[in-house]
Amino acid sequence: KVIWTLLVAAVGCASSLPVGDDSLCSAEELAKYSIIFTGKWSQAAFPKQYPLYRPPAQWSAMLGVTHSSDYNMWKKNEYASNGVRDFAEKGEAWVLMKEIEEAGEKIQSVHGIFSAPAISSGTGQTSTELEVHPRHPLVSFVVRIVPSPDWFVGIDSLNLCEGDHWLEEVTVDLFPYDAGTDSGFTFSSPNFATIPQDTVTEITCSSPSHPANSFYYPKLKILPPIAQVTMVKIKKNLLGFPVPYDNMPDKSNEVIDTVSETPLDCEVSQWSSWGLCRGVCRKTGTKIRTRFVLLQPANNGTPCPNLDEETGCEPENCV
């Protein structure tokens, strides 16, 4: 934690102007925001394969930057950088922070870096502050979904400036993304590198369209938000000091989940082969086949059907 703090401080204090022209923003020179991340990854909203232990559902620390349009931390439908890959797969931030630092030095596109503490459960809140500049009005960040193969949530280049003023408050629902570097389908999948690497894609209730996928809910039109982020501009009093934001949560504060329950239907295996025909010779006998439960129903989903079936047959090997 000490090393993480020192790295954030070292990179975050390097403020510079970009090579590109982001002159569309003519707001006051600087603005500070409180950023509040709320995890909504509950068992009620996401019952399928919900991680309860080793490890339980949780969120990594948030890593983000304020920047110009010359820089992208990550982008949908494009290849993730080595830094984003390491962060999404293992929660390691060293390479990503080095990439951010180099972008600030070479193309002068990064104004500052910010981070917020991890959340030790699927539902909870964490927060920090960030600073934007008229030439660096964009905000990007990533938070890893833990456990997962290479899944994360985040924002790519959200503009907090509108003409000659900064937005007072912005709230964005967050949905899961696949970094395209690991081919696992479930939260607890073993490491299985995607070769060749795929692009960053949004995970939906029907894509990837594989029943084993932990987010596969074919009866839903859209997944419920798995997280939410709110950015609130910090106001100043007459003396120029920031006014505290009343609704700022405690770090990792547990929150009440208000998402409606997602029904999960029972899933069963294919039928086995028919068993031996049993009965008295020259009379109709019976044979049985069975199947087993792959996924128990939840939240008033369709209950499991019968797991065995019987039919008539002619006994064999009669004397």
Side-chain angles (χ1 to χ4, degrees):
K1 291 183 179 179
V2 173
I3 296 175
W4 173 280
T5 303
L6 290 175
L7 280 170
V8 169
V11 181
C13 66
S15 176
S16 57
L17 297 180
V19 173
D21 182 15
D22 286 295
S23 59
L24 293 179
C25 179
S26 57
E28 59 188 88
E29 185 176 359
L30 293 171
K32 286 189 175 182
Y33 283 80
S34 296
I35 178 168
I36 306 105
F37 176 89
T38 303
K40 294 189 172 186
W41 185 17
S42 68
Q43 191 171 11
F46 299 92
K48 187 174 183 180
Q49 303 163 1
Y50 188 80
L52 296 173
Y53 56 91
R54 296 184 182 180
Q58 57 191 275
W59 300 95
S60 76
M62 172 193 289
L63 182 60
V65 289
T66 55
H67 59 95
S68 70
S69 57
D70 297 310
Y71 173 79
N72 285 99
M73 174 183 269
W74 64 276
K75 198 171 186 64
K76 183 179 177 181
N77 298 327
E78 293 189 5
Y79 293 105
S81 67
N82 291 334
V84 171
R85 178 199 62 202
D86 287 355
F87 191 87
E89 289 188 13
K90 298 173 285 188
E92 296 177 358
W94 304 100
V95 177
L96 181 55
M97 293 180 73
K98 186 66 176 176
E99 291 172 354
I100 296 170
E101 184 179 14
E102 289 175 353
E105 293 175 352
K106 291 181 180 180
I107 58 176
Q108 301 179 338
S109 58
V110 174
H111 177 73
I113 185 171
F114 57 90
S115 69
I119 303 175
S120 59
S121 61
T123 58
Q125 287 185 326
T126 187
S127 62
T128 188
E129 294 182 0
L130 60 88
E131 183 180 81
V132 284
H133 184 277
R135 295 237 185 146
H136 303 84
L138 308 180
V139 175
S140 297
F141 70 83
V142 287
V143 179
R144 181 179 179 238
I145 298 173
V146 183
S148 74
D150 60 342
W151 302 341
F152 69 95
V153 297
I155 280 180
D156 167 36
S157 304
L158 175 66
N159 194 345
L160 293 179
C161 183
E162 193 172 81
D164 61 354
H165 67 279
W166 296 105
L167 300 177
E168 293 295 325
E169 182 172 337
V170 181
T171 297
V172 180
D173 287 333
L174 303 177
F175 299 89
Y177 280 89
D178 187 323
T181 60
D182 192 291
S183 297
F185 273 120
T186 66
F187 296 120
S188 57
S189 292
N191 185 38
F192 184 61
T194 301
I195 301 175
Q197 180 177 334
D198 203 352
T199 58
V200 175
T201 56
E202 184 176 354
I203 301 172
T204 70
C205 56
S206 58
S207 178
S209 58
H210 194 292
N213 181 13
S214 292
F215 286 111
Y216 186 68
Y217 295 94
K219 288 191 174 181
L220 295 181
K221 291 183 178 180
I222 186 173
L223 284 175
I226 196 171
Q228 187 180 76
V229 66
T230 298
M231 282 165 272
V232 182
K233 187 172 181 289
I234 298 175
K235 302 181 185 298
K236 296 181 180 180
N237 59 22
L238 296 177
L239 297 177
F241 296 107
V243 177
Y245 178 52
D246 293 336
N247 294 325
M248 181 65 67
D250 295 330
K251 293 178 180 178
S252 297
N253 182 38
E254 195 73 17
V255 294
I256 298 175
D257 180 50
T258 57
V259 177
S260 59
E261 293 184 341
T262 299
L264 184 64
D265 296 339
C266 177
E267 293 182 12
V268 295
S269 68
Q270 298 293 322
W271 286 109
S272 68
S273 301
W274 287 105
L276 295 175
C277 185
R278 299 184 182 277
V280 180
C281 288
R282 293 182 295 278
K283 291 186 178 180
T284 301
T286 59
K287 59 182 178 180
I288 297 174
R289 63 178 182 175
T290 61
R291 55 188 174 184
F292 58 90
V293 175
L294 295 172
L295 188 65
Q296 292 287 352
N299 304 331
N300 297 316
T302 303
C304 293
N306 291 332
L307 299 179
D308 54 66
E309 187 175 67
E310 184 177 294
T311 188
C313 59
E314 291 294 330
E316 299 175 0
N317 300 325
C318 286
V319 179

